[in-house]
Amino acid sequence: MKRLFLLSAAWLLTVMGVMAQVTAGNRVPDHPRLFLLKGQEQQLKADIDSSRVWTNVHKALIKECDRIINLQPKEQNPKAGDQLGVSREYLRRIFLLSYAYRLGGEEKYLEHARRELRHACSFESWNPNHFLDVAEMTMAVAVGYDWLYDKLSGSDRRLLRNAIIDKGFKPSQQEAYMKSFNTVTSNWNQVCHAAIACGAMAVWEDDRNEAATLINRAISNVTLPMKAYAPQGVYDEGQMYWEYGTNYNAMLIAALESVFGSDYGLTTIPGFMETATYYNNMFTPSSHIFSYSDHSGSGSDMPPAIYWFYHKTGNESLLYSEMKCNNRNGVYRIVNNRLAPLTVVWGAKSTMKGIAPPAERFFKGDGTNSVAVMRSSWTDTNGWYMGVKLGTAAVTHSHMDVGSFFIEARGVQWATDLGMENYAKAKKHVNLWNRGQNSTRWNLYRLNSSNHNLVTFDDHRQVVRGSATIDSFDDEPTGMSLTSDLTQVYAGQISSYERSYAMIDNNHCVVTDDITTAGSTTMQWNMMSQVTNATLVADKVVKLERNGYAMYLIIDTDLKIKWEIGDATPENAFETPNKGIKAIRFSAPLKGGRKYHITATFTFTAPQL
């Protein structure tokens, strides 16, 4: 009990340090003051001009602005449950047009930014029933108001300022709306508090006391989701939501520093400044993403937050995976990013070429959702990569994927993850946001246990409240491995269960299951594979083929197993069809009170049959 009190006291002291107060007496710079201060445009332009990469990015953004000025402002859809797409598009257009005007001074960008801002402010509300919509629109109008302040008429300033206050601040203080973000531990907290706080910094002069209150609320409450980064920076909700939450978290800190000259202790929260290493390690050798939980995408976006971490630390190796993605995908990665100007503001001093890779090829991140990565090389695009997902299904955007693994070699995802399901379609058919053990959420093909790279018993689900951590590991370069006790995740189904993962000699991977049964049960070993062909070539050998390569999955066990190989096709028409994915499974009856050992080896070396 005494130790618990000391830990709580230590955390309280940390939070008290973080909660250093902004007061109405704080002096603030003139507009523009958010992210890029007045007068910093010239240095930014010089940085852009000194780099071919950033010159090309800048040109692409200006070209996109020339396209935007021919578009009509977007309208809200009264039939839609949320207006998030509308709010995000306003943020994208306003941010880009404001950037183009500040760096080039062409009136056409100013005029069209004004048009977008006026139209955004003409809406009756910004849809507080789905508060992310309010947050993104508040950020959009705050950036436009601040970055274009000197060129706005008095009536335009009043219109924008009143909209930020009436449609942003006021609903953010009403309990009916505030409960969705104020003290939650998900990305909603980071996004909504950052946006409202940036709005408050933009209109600081109007009511300093009110602005200070909103900013202090953000500084205090954003610590709740930030706690989850500890100790090595892993993000509970997966890499895609890392981008969302961490982008806005970085924006909050950057705005506080540009306006008040302090981050109020937020960067000292354990794990936060390490999270760029986590992000960097989520990229495979072919610049795809080790996906788990609700992740969708292949590294095609360009998240400004990773450039902020570089900007703060000067550690260019944090941008190594970004450099490879840019080389593969080009500048199109940035033009549709609504926060694209911040990528330039924070990244333009980086070379984005010839960046040295990180030194370590083994990464482990403990926390609520522990993950680990083993790779044969950072530089070889055909290299081996093995990702391991542990943790729990009891967090936002989770899947029943505890213990799952991900393997890429020669650019092929031999063991893959299906990714997130379409929210808009799924929520009409299942209780999507209910993570209870018996929720219909887990009926979705992409979310349940049977369609991750896992073992199931008698078709039971994993235990939602169960969890697994990295119990032991070896980061030896030629024999990287880790082990996890998965017993909690299968409580009531077996007596004990330990799974080990290894990359041996940088040329093959091994997954080992050690299971002790309680009663008799039927075990099913499951794997999703992004292959063209999967053929059983021996009793315990499957040949996997894609792009002219053949990978062999070799099972070593005394059990008599029965294979099931086919397309990963869900039963429901409303679910994503998973085209190009094979479901590879085998099953076997297990007797009660016995110990079983099963080894799965992935190798390009054909076995002697």
Side-chain angles (χ1 to χ4, degrees), residues 262-417:
S262 173
D263 66 13
Y264 294 92
L266 292 178
T267 58
T268 67
I269 292 178
F272 185 69
M273 293 306 293
E274 287 71 41
T275 196
T277 299
Y278 156 76
Y279 173 81
N280 209 11
N281 273 279
M282 292 301 99
F283 283 83
T284 71
S286 68
S287 297
H288 285 79
I289 299 293
F290 162 32
S291 58
Y292 62 86
S293 300
D294 272 350
H295 173 83
S296 179
S298 59
S300 60
D301 202 8
M302 182 181 273
I306 194 66
Y307 294 88
W308 179 82
F309 285 103
Y310 155 74
H311 176 74
K312 289 288 290 182
T313 65
N315 180 4
E316 202 168 36
S317 71
L318 296 175
L319 300 178
Y320 182 78
S321 293
E322 281 295 302
M323 177 190 70
K324 290 183 67 177
C325 282
N326 291 345
N327 292 341
R328 189 187 72 173
N329 298 318
V331 296
Y332 93 87
R333 295 180 71 231
I334 193 172
V335 295
N336 290 316
N337 189 311
R338 62 193 180 283
L339 308 177
L342 293 179
T343 301
V344 184
V345 169
W346 294 330
K349 288 189 182 296
S350 61
T351 62
M352 293 307 290
K353 61 181 182 180
I355 296 175
E360 301 297 327
R361 292 190 286 109
F362 180 92
F363 170 80
K364 78 174 187 72
D366 299 302
T368 306
N369 263 342
S370 300
V371 299
V373 168
M374 296 167 267
R375 67 175 74 231
S376 63
S377 171
W378 279 95
T379 57
D380 181 5
T381 57
N382 288 317
W384 283 78
Y385 179 101
M386 187 179 200
V388 177
K389 164 64 171 62
L390 299 168
T392 179
V395 296
T396 310
H397 297 292
S398 61
H399 291 192
M400 286 186 168
D401 60 1
V402 181
S404 191
F405 60 92
F406 181 104
I407 295 175
E408 180 187 288
R410 299 182 185 174
V412 177
Q413 294 174 27
W414 305 102
T416 192
D417 185 275

Side-chain angles (χ1 to χ4, degrees), residues 32 111 137 185 208 242 307 314 426 454 474 481 484 508 547 578 590 596:
E111 288 307 312
M137 195 72 95
T185 57
R208 293 174 181 236
W242 179 94
Y307 294 88
L454 301 170
D474 189 339
S481 65
S484 179
H508 65 282
N547 296 344
N578 306 319
L590 307 185
Y596 294 92

Side-chain angles (χ1 to χ4, degrees), residues 407-543:
I407 295 175
E408 180 187 288
R410 299 182 185 174
V412 177
Q413 294 174 27
W414 305 102
T416 192
D417 185 275
L418 299 177
M420 68 186 293
E421 188 50 86
N422 184 296
Y423 293 165
K425 291 182 180 179
K427 68 183 181 182
K428 298 176 182 178
H429 302 275
V430 301
N431 193 349
L432 187 60
W433 307 118
N434 178 356
R435 295 191 302 278
Q437 185 66 42
N438 298 316
S439 172
T440 53
R441 166 188 176 84
W442 308 118
N443 293 342
L444 292 171
Y445 191 94
R446 288 188 166 207
L447 273 62
N448 67 39
S449 309
S450 297
N451 302 308
H452 288 91
N453 306 328
L454 301 170
V455 169
T456 56
F457 300 96
D458 286 339
D459 293 325
H460 290 311
R461 297 171 173 176
Q462 290 190 326
V463 177
V464 170
R465 294 292 173 184
S467 64
T469 60
I470 300 168
D471 296 318
S472 63
F473 70 93
D474 189 339
D475 58 3
E476 170 61 36
T478 58
M480 295 175 280
S481 65
L482 67 119
T483 299
S484 179
D485 184 347
L486 301 177
T487 306
Q488 273 191 33
V489 185
Y490 296 91
Q493 302 174 37
I494 41 83
S495 179
S496 67
Y497 179 15
E498 184 177 84
R499 180 169 251 198
S500 299
Y501 315 79
M503 182 181 293
I504 309 299
D505 294 330
N506 296 314
N507 64 14
H508 65 282
C509 289
V510 179
V511 178
T512 303
D513 295 305
D514 286 292
I515 301 163
T516 303
T517 58
S520 298
T521 186
T522 297
M523 177 209 73
Q524 182 167 279
W525 191 98
N526 309 280
M527 189 182 81
M528 303 294 110
S529 187
Q530 199 177 72
V531 294
T532 308
N533 296 302
T535 308
L536 186 63
V537 294
D539 288 346
K540 295 174 182 176
V541 180
V542 176
K543 183 180 181 181

Side-chain angles (χ1 to χ4, degrees), residues 2-17:
K2 182 177 180 181
R3 182 175 181 271
L4 179 61
F5 172 79
L6 291 174
L7 289 172
S8 300
W11 173 250
L12 179 62
L13 289 172
T14 301
V15 171
M16 288 174 65

